[in-house]
């Protein structure tokens, strides 16, 4: 029996990638960050869940 030897080029990739992930929520009206209390410091008003994105 004869086994052929093949050489297959393989490109290696990193298992992880550095990506920017932001968990901040912004107020749609002014674009600034909302605190955990759901209060916009820029507009000085409480923010409801429908108002942020």
């Amino acid at each position: 029996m004869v086994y052929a030897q093949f050489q297959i080029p393989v490109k290696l990739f990193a298992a992880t990638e550095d990506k920017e992930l932001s968990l901040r929520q912004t107020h749609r009206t002014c674009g600034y960050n909302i605190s955990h209390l759901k209060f916009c410091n820029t507009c000085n008003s409480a923010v409801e869940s429908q108002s942020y994105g």
Side-chain angles (χ1 to χ4, degrees):
M1 283 188 171
V2 176
Y3 291 100
Q5 291 183 355
F6 293 100
Q7 208 172 31
I8 302 171
V10 176
K11 186 173 182 179
L12 299 176
F13 293 95
T16 60
E17 295 179 14
D18 292 332
K19 292 193 176 194
E20 293 292 324
L21 177 64
S22 177
L23 299 177
R24 296 180 187 158
Q25 296 173 328
T26 55
H27 190 207
R28 287 183 183 158
T29 304
C30 65
Y32 283 91
N33 295 336
I34 298 172
S35 67
H36 289 288
L37 300 174
K38 305 296 186 223
F39 185 84
C40 181
N41 294 327
T42 303
C43 295
N44 199 24
S45 64
V47 178
E48 296 179 17
S49 61
Q50 296 86 9
S51 297
Y52 58 85

